[in-house]
Amino acid sequence: MSTESQYYSYNPEKRNIFIEIHQGRTNRFKEFVVGFFLLFASYGSAIVEVFLRRKFGERYITLAQSIGIFLSSFVLFPVLVYLYVNFLELVGVNIRTINLSQVRNSGTFLSIFMLIFLGFAIYHRLEIKRYGTAYDFKRFSLSDGEIAPFWYKIIGRKVLGVKISHYLVHVLLEPLIPILIGLIFTFIAFAKLTGVLLIVCGLMFMAKNFSKAQQGRDWVLDNIDKKITNEMKYDVFIGQKPKKDTKGVYLPIELPEDEETRKVLYDIVEDSFTTSDEIWVNDFLDEKKKGGQSGNG
């Protein structure tokens, strides 16, 4: 890092042109489709989350949302029947052989399952009430719940040569539980529709967790890139150093050949930096000194 840039520290509120010019490969249609899917995935995930996790934040799953999901299951029933029938056709089963009484039994079992879901949702709301809903900083109100304790016993270990990490648990292993249970249910006559629901919700849960993990990773990388670009900004503007000497940072424009002109330009666009902490410390000492003088007076 150049000597001059050591006198500046990163200000995250300012614009960073180096990052802006490198973020051109965006797919707005993909973002819309993914965003639309995640809108439903958030509610679909709740159906399995109440069984897999505990200690939710008070704003993560409200009782009104749980009741809405419960009521929506009755609207969803025909959709599940449609998906199930199409699945059977896909695997070569003649749908004329479907027993209507089994379909009704599947609907009954699905209703019982959703009642159990609502019961668990109410239990979690009572759990939230127990550890408080006041503004006391005891609990992150948007917490998506804690994973089951047994996961912590295997995190960090190697299973079949694969190291179990928090990421692997959240994105793959935890969502696999409802998916596998759903697959088993599809072989049980009266639980087939519930099995389809669990598979769909498990996949939604997996997609939601993956999306959250990617957002977290992007946020960390964005902040790392901001720090790097602000460290290298002086070397790019004034030193005109190549990418190999600036950690890959560059500005694809022709800058003035005169160094003094580049310094003036640098001062004009220098809005991503602020004064260093040492200067603020001096100001703090000055204020403290003034306060002491006024107190003695």
Side-chain angles (χ1 to χ4, degrees):
M1 184 173 68
S2 64
T3 304
E4 290 82 352
S5 60
Q6 293 178 7
Y7 295 103
Y8 300 93
S9 60
Y10 167 57
N11 184 344
E13 299 299 326
K14 299 295 184 177
R15 181 178 178 184
N16 192 312
I17 190 62
F18 293 100
I19 292 179
E20 289 182 23
I21 63 177
H22 284 84
Q23 291 186 342
R25 287 188 292 272
T26 57
N27 188 329
R28 299 299 180 188
F29 179 75
K30 177 184 176 182
E31 291 176 358
F32 172 78
V33 172
V34 172
F36 186 75
F37 170 77
L38 291 177
L39 174 66
F40 292 95
S42 176
Y43 293 99
S45 299
I47 294 176
V48 296
E49 283 176 321
V50 297
F51 298 103
L52 298 173
R53 295 188 176 182
R54 59 195 184 95
K55 292 187 177 180
F56 294 96
E58 64 175 288
R59 291 194 294 166
Y60 185 70
I61 300 179
T62 65
L63 185 57
Q65 290 173 339
S66 301
I67 294 174
I69 294 171
F70 170 74
L71 295 176
S72 298
S73 64
F74 296 99
V75 180
L76 190 64
F77 176 74
V79 178
L80 290 174
V81 172
Y82 175 80
L83 292 175
Y84 175 62
V85 170
N86 278 271
F87 172 76
L88 291 179
E89 289 183 335
L90 185 65
V91 297
V93 176
N94 187 357
I95 60 174
R96 294 180 180 179
T97 61
I98 297 177
N99 191 330
L100 292 179
S101 63
Q102 290 183 355
V103 175
R104 285 194 294 269
N105 292 337
S106 293
T108 302
F109 186 80
L110 177 62
S111 300
I112 295 173
F113 172 79
M114 292 307 298
L115 277 172
I116 296 174
F117 155 76
L118 185 60
F120 269 80
I122 294 172
Y123 167 78
H124 287 302
R125 292 309 301 177
L126 295 175
E127 184 183 49
I128 290 171
K129 292 290 184 182
R130 282 201 297 271
Y131 54 74
T133 56
Y135 307 126
D136 52 10
F137 305 98
K138 288 183 179 179
R139 192 74 183 170
F140 181 45
S141 67
L142 291 173
S143 172
D144 58 356
E146 298 178 8
I147 57 177
F150 72 86
W151 289 118
Y152 294 106
K153 296 180 181 179
I154 64 172
I155 289 176
R157 298 183 179 181
K158 281 192 174 183
V159 178
L160 300 176
V162 178
K163 185 177 181 180
I164 307 300
S165 64
H166 285 274
Y167 175 81
L168 191 63
V169 168
H170 283 82
V171 174
L172 181 62
L173 299 181
E174 192 182 27
L176 272 179
I177 294 177
I179 293 174
L180 292 176
I181 294 175
L183 286 173
I184 294 173
F185 276 14
T186 57
F187 292 99
I188 304 174
F190 61 85
K192 290 182 183 295
L193 293 180
T194 305
V196 174
L197 177 66
L198 285 174
I199 293 172
V200 172
C201 290
L203 292 173
M204 287 182 173
F205 188 37
M206 182 182 294
K208 184 173 74 72
N209 288 350
F210 176 77
S211 176
K212 289 168 65 175
Q214 288 301 112
Q215 288 178 1
R217 175 177 168 78
D218 289 343
W219 177 77
V220 171
L221 290 175
D222 283 345
N223 282 277
I224 291 174
D225 287 343
K226 288 175 183 177
K227 181 172 175 29
I228 291 173
T229 54
N230 281 287
E231 288 177 352
M232 297 293 109
K233 190 173 185 179
Y234 186 91
D235 292 333
V236 173
F237 258 97
I238 309 301
Q240 289 190 306
K241 294 183 179 179
K243 279 186 180 182
K244 64 183 182 67
D245 297 326
T246 61
K247 301 181 180 180
V249 181
Y250 80 107
L251 194 64
I253 62 173
E254 291 292 333
L255 293 170
E257 294 184 3
D258 180 58
E259 184 176 338
E260 291 302 319
T261 305
R262 292 200 304 274
K263 287 182 178 180
V264 173
L265 180 61
Y266 177 80
D267 291 336
I268 293 173
V269 300
E270 211 294 290
D271 62 353
S272 295
F273 289 82
T274 183
T275 48
S276 65
D277 293 336
E278 289 80 9
I279 296 177
W280 292 114
V281 170
N282 292 337
D283 288 345
F284 172 76
L285 293 175
D286 290 342
E287 291 295 328
K288 187 176 181 180
K289 185 177 179 181
K290 289 178 182 179
Q293 290 175 350
S294 61
N296 294 332

